[in-house]
Amino acid sequence: MNFEEFNLDPSIMAGVKALGYTTPTPIQVQAIPPIMQGRDIIGLAQTGTGKTAAFVLPLMQHLLKLPRGRIGAAIISPTRELAEQTCEAIDELGQKTGLKSISVYGGVSMDQQIRRLRSGVEVVVACPGRLLDHLWKSTIDLSHLEVLVIDEADRMFDMGFLPDIKSILKCLIKPHQTLLFSATMPADIRRLVQETLHNPVTVQIGHSAPVASVSHTLYPVKQHLKTQLIIAILRCYDTDSVLVFTRTKHRADRLAMQLKREGFKATALHGDLAQNRRQAALDDFRDESIKILVATDIAARGLDVLSISHVINFDMPENTDAYTHRIGRTGRIDQRGDALTFVTSADAAVVREIETVLKAPLERRTLKGFNYSAPAPEIAPARVQRPLIRRRVSGQGAGRN
Ligand code: AMP
């Protein structure tokens, strides 16, 4: 199948060509025709499958038929980074359409967003909290909305956004087409689908197993040796861009600093950083001036950097879904990737879960020449340790994301 068969407007096809897309991905083949027919869609697909273009292309086709200067489509995203990326995809694919989009999220000036909204846009890509703020202040007009996209619904549920989504849905009075994308289908999302979507078409790419173009390896290691092991691995493996996941913001900061001290071009990405620092970290990672990004789960959501060669789970993800999301950052379209996961004895249950989903045992590897039996650092006597503990508590840096 090729893109011509979708009969997209020539102005949209110009964007497809400019981005160098020649063949639609499986999710695009399955999702674009029913979306163009106006059907509601449940898209079960991970990032890296081409799902953004799967909804952006038919959505733009629809918007071209509508009057300009009013919001015809809204896309709800779990994170600012994903909102920005989606907006960029719209700008690039729609470069010849004249359609205007805006990203709307918290942590930045509301006034600036209001000015942009007043100047007339056709698509808004928004995080739930800030979108609600605008709705409650009547600074956004969704009364002409024709298409609503709920992107990465499972992640929004994980982040506690479900009540916000429901409040947003209550504000949408006009009947509209709803497209819901999710890598997994937890019970609450299933319920949301039943309550919200009308006779939806389900489009599923694979199932929620991690992408097949990724090799999965486990590195059993004691907790206290993880930092030395990652340094040794980064020194001896041929890596391009590496995304490292830690369990907490504090661990992300600390590991990024330790890697920098060892001479690696590394930085941290997590939700405590100001928006401009997060964006700078992402930009540096994209243009490869930073080679190692140490991130928490939520901060790395939707991260679209095509050249990620390795994902390293410095800390085991909480469950298979989180593993799938993390691993989805590598092995993207037409590329291969490697996923390395550090496991301690406490991680056995999640490992079993992942092996069940992958339907195969994961390969366990050890790094040649690495001293796995190095002792844990001695614990200092309580008198010396006290000020350290106090500093940690006042820093409050160990929360998630
Ligand atoms: P997504 O799953 O939407 O995050 O897309 C992952 C990456 O695939 C993005 O960089 C897209 O630009 C790219 N992509 C999307 N559709 C295609 C296609 N048909 N051919 C090649 N690359 C694509």
Side-chain angles (χ1 to χ4, degrees):
M1 176 155 204
N2 56 40
F3 278 100
E4 275 72 28
E5 290 173 58
F6 295 131
N7 282 325
L8 293 163
D9 189 87
S11 63
I12 299 175
M13 281 306 290
V16 170
K17 286 194 186 113
L19 286 192
Y21 299 177
T22 49
T23 318
T25 65
I27 184 90
Q28 290 161 3
V29 171
Q30 288 185 41
I32 292 176
I35 299 177
M36 283 175 74
Q37 287 161 16
R39 298 286 304 269
D40 282 1
I41 286 274
I42 304 167
L44 289 167
Q46 299 153 223
T47 39
T49 53
K51 75 172 165 62
T52 314
F55 62 78
V56 164
L57 293 172
L59 180 151
M60 290 196 299
Q61 178 79 8
H62 189 71
L63 292 178
L64 286 177
K65 294 182 230 135
L66 304 177
R68 293 297 170 103
R70 56 194 211 190
I71 298 168
I75 299 158
I76 309 182
S77 293
T79 65
R80 313 163 202 194
E81 283 76 18
L82 184 63
E84 281 292 352
Q85 276 170 32
T86 306
C87 230
E88 268 168 38
I90 296 168
D91 290 348
E92 285 172 356
L93 287 167
Q95 53 188 272
K96 294 281 186 257
T97 61
L99 293 167
K100 289 188 290 305
S101 66
I102 176 183
S103 56
V104 164
Y105 45 75
V108 293
S109 149
M110 197 143 174
D111 289 343
Q112 218 173 327
Q113 291 171 354
I114 294 170
R115 275 196 297 279
R116 283 282 320 277
L117 286 165
R118 285 206 186 116
S119 73
V121 296
E122 289 81 31
V123 192
V124 59
V125 189
C127 293
R130 182 54 71 92
L131 180 59
L132 264 185
D133 290 345
H134 281 290
L135 282 166
W136 283 331
K137 288 187 166 188
S138 300
T139 45
I140 196 167
D141 177 11
L142 296 184
S143 62
H144 301 288
L145 193 88
E146 303 242 335
V147 187
L148 175 73
V149 182
I150 304 175
D151 198 9
E152 307 209 338
D154 50 351
R155 192 52 47 168
M156 287 208 263
F157 166 66
D158 287 348
M159 292 168 73
F161 284 145
L162 207 52
D164 283 357
I165 307 274
K166 288 185 176 160
S167 304
I168 293 167
L169 290 169
K170 280 196 196 122
C171 297
L172 306 177
I173 298 147
K174 188 177 183 293
H176 54 266
Q177 184 181 14
T178 307
L179 317 174
L180 181 139
F181 287 83
S182 200
T184 56
M185 259 298 148
D188 290 80
I189 299 298
R190 228 176 272 277
R191 253 193 307 279
L192 180 75
V193 163
Q194 279 157 7
E195 287 162 14
T196 317
L197 275 65
H198 302 287
N199 192 18
V201 178
T202 301
V203 175
Q204 182 161 12
I205 296 308
H207 70 122
S208 54
V211 272
S213 53
V214 176
S215 78
H216 306 262
T217 349
L218 300 181
Y219 282 79
V221 63
K222 291 193 185 110
Q223 190 64 252
H224 72 275
L225 291 175
K226 282 183 173 182
T227 307
Q228 280 105 304
L229 181 62
I230 197 168
I231 291 168
I233 284 178
L234 290 169
R235 290 225 166 98
C236 85
Y237 282 23
D238 183 17
T239 59
D240 187 1
S241 289
V242 185
L243 182 58
V244 182
F245 284 97
T246 60
R247 209 178 57 247
T248 66
K249 301 179 259 197
H250 175 69
R251 284 169 71 79
D253 274 336
R254 202 176 50 180
L255 181 60
M257 209 188 312
Q258 282 161 331
L259 293 176
K260 264 195 270 186
R261 250 188 253 139
E262 292 295 321
F264 294 103
K265 290 178 180 161
T267 196
L269 177 76
H270 57 70
D272 266 2
L273 298 175
Q275 178 57 22
N276 57 352
R277 297 247 338 255
R278 284 166 71 159
Q279 198 56 52
L282 284 172
D283 291 345
D284 290 347
F285 193 49
R286 251 184 225 123
D287 71 22
E288 299 188 15
S289 48
I290 285 287
K291 290 289 197 182
I292 303 165
L293 194 63
V294 187
T296 54
D297 283 291
I298 289 170
R301 187 78 194 137
L303 192 74
D304 179 17
V305 182
L306 278 180
S307 63
I308 292 177
S309 62
H310 291 74
V311 167
I312 301 181
N313 292 314
F314 187 79
D315 295 317
M316 190 73 182
E318 266 175 31
N319 50 41
T320 321
D321 287 350
Y323 182 82
T324 302
H325 283 297
R326 288 182 179 186
I327 298 318
R329 307 310 100 191
T330 187
R332 314 201 102 183
I333 297 169
D334 295 336
Q335 306 217 0
R336 283 208 53 83
D338 292 306
L340 286 65
T341 302
F342 290 3
V343 283
T344 67
S345 50
D347 300 322
V350 183
V351 171
R352 267 197 305 277
E353 223 185 279
I354 296 170
E355 289 180 324
T356 309
V357 171
L358 282 170
K359 298 195 181 78
L362 290 170
E363 186 192 338
R364 270 87 173 154
R365 258 194 223 165
T366 50
L367 186 70
K368 242 174 131 185
F370 184 77
N371 182 7
Y372 282 93
S373 50
E378 273 183 33
I379 296 170
R383 190 162 40 85
V384 181
Q385 216 181 13
R386 217 173 289 128
L388 273 178
I389 292 170
R390 221 178 292 134
R391 212 179 313 140
R392 277 259 294 280
V393 171
S394 68
Q396 295 286 314
R400 278 176 190 280
N401 300 295

